[in-house]
Amino acid sequence: MNKSHGLSPHPWNRGFTWRDHAGAGRIVTPEQARAYDEQGYFVLEHAVDPVTIAALVDAIEPFDREVMDFLATQPDGRFSIAGVDTVSIALHPASRSAVCRDFCTSELMADLGHDLIGPDVRLYWDQAVYKKSHSAEPVLWHQDNGYTYVEPQAYLTVWVALTDATPDNGCISVLPGVHRTGTVAHRNTPIGFECCVDPEGAVEVPVQAGSAVVFSSLTPHATGYNRTDEVRKAYIVQYAPEGAVALHGDPDAGPPTARVVQDDPRRQFLMPVD
Ligand SMILES: O=C(O)CCC(=O)C(=O)O
């Protein structure tokens, strides 16, 4: 485990081995596969056309409004890591919008899943994350597998920029290399899980609307404050191997108390094979 970042293994992470992705895939180039293996991420430039991006923004808009209306009813406008003054998270647009569902099960995503996960892939999660203008909080450094512990630990996150994402408005930053050691321990804070603070070697990854940051569930990442007047919008879609399970329980208290197969037919769609 990489001691220079002060990281230690998650209590449930025993004997993890990263599986390399050799050769060219359907869409992932050998260079991108090497970056994914060595750095834990790559950028897929201009992955999504402007018409599709506009359709996604329109489809997500009512869900984001719902979330903002809900947050406004909460104490201080906050609920968990979300808040009217910081970030809104609309869960599972693909379960309610054909536009989002078609996007999540598109050839682009099927090809990414095929190349980076394997032949039998399911949509594991989708959410729209809108960082509000002059946001009050950053999103802390975390691995996606640090929130809900999934096995196999290595699944795929595709962070699709619906607006340009810049260092000024809270683009993704990643911490290369750590993914190869599996899930690390996180602490639970009032504004989310955190695995490290201001780590050395972090890389900011600005991308234009329509580009995607493709990274592992094991790649630590964070986003900073949005210091602009505009909302920064992203649609995050994640893919896991068929048969993946979510482990429940308190990692500090002992082994998992439940293992739940991730195959909810309302939203965890099996990806097309061809
Ligand atoms: O888009 C963001 O600001 C952060 C999203 C994120 O880190 C996540 O969904 O895991």
Side-chain angles (χ1 to χ4, degrees):
M1 195 55 59
N2 192 332
K3 290 290 179 199
S4 66
H5 296 116
L7 302 171
S8 57
H10 187 287
W12 296 344
N13 172 14
R14 301 265 165 81
F16 175 81
T17 305
W18 176 265
R19 184 183 64 82
D20 280 329
H21 302 80
R26 286 184 184 165
I27 186 171
V28 175
T29 66
E31 293 72 30
Q32 288 168 336
R34 195 171 319 118
Y36 192 72
D37 288 337
E38 292 176 2
Q39 310 295 316
Y41 79 102
F42 63 89
V43 174
L44 206 55
E45 305 275 8
H46 311 300
V48 187
D49 64 86
V51 172
T52 304
I53 291 294
L56 287 168
V57 169
D58 282 352
I60 290 167
E61 211 267 331
F63 306 137
D64 187 63
R65 207 173 330 114
E66 257 176 37
V67 171
M68 290 296 280
D69 288 348
F70 165 75
L71 289 172
T73 67
Q74 297 303 297
D76 299 327
R78 294 283 178 95
F79 183 82
S80 184
I81 96 167
V84 281
D85 60 345
T86 186
V87 71
S88 57
I89 302 177
L91 295 179
H92 312 315
S95 68
R96 298 166 68 194
S97 152
V99 169
C100 296
R101 187 164 54 248
D102 288 351
F103 178 72
C104 290
T105 56
S106 61
E107 194 177 335
L108 168 69
M109 295 302 160
D111 286 350
L112 282 171
H114 169 274
D115 291 352
L116 298 173
I117 298 292
D120 300 312
V121 179
R122 255 185 209 277
L123 176 64
Y124 160 63
W125 195 267
D126 70 299
Q127 62 184 21
V129 180
Y130 283 16
K131 196 176 274 275
K132 305 303 164 186
S133 62
H134 302 283
S135 59
E137 310 284 1
V139 172
L140 303 175
W141 282 97
H142 66 280
Q143 296 169 311
D144 289 332
N145 217 44
Y147 270 81
T148 297
Y149 193 103
V150 171
E151 271 183 0
Q153 297 177 45
Y155 62 86
L156 172 65
T157 295
V158 187
W159 192 96
V160 180
L162 300 178
T163 54
D164 292 351
T166 67
D168 232 25
N169 73 3
C171 67
I172 284 274
S173 293
V174 296
L175 184 59
V178 172
H179 61 292
R180 298 188 69 91
T181 60
T183 312
V184 298
H186 287 64
R187 67 189 185 97
N188 198 355
T189 83
I191 57 164
F193 283 84
E194 181 176 59
C195 63
C196 55
V197 180
D198 197 15
E200 202 177 309
V203 179
E204 282 181 325
V205 192
V207 285
Q208 290 181 338
S211 294
V213 189
V214 178
F215 55 96
S216 167
S217 57
L218 300 173
T219 303
H221 58 283
T223 62
Y225 297 93
N226 179 356
R227 298 191 170 86
T228 73
D229 295 336
E230 306 296 329
V231 178
R232 191 235 63 200
K233 302 180 179 181
Y235 188 33
I236 298 162
V237 293
Q238 300 180 315
Y239 299 90
E242 168 70 332
V245 291
L247 307 191
H248 295 294
D250 177 356
D252 296 321
T257 50
R259 302 169 66 89
V260 180
V261 178
Q262 297 301 293
D263 61 357
D264 183 338
R266 291 165 302 178
R267 62 178 185 83
Q268 293 178 315
F269 309 115
L270 200 53
M271 294 297 283
V273 174
D274 296 315

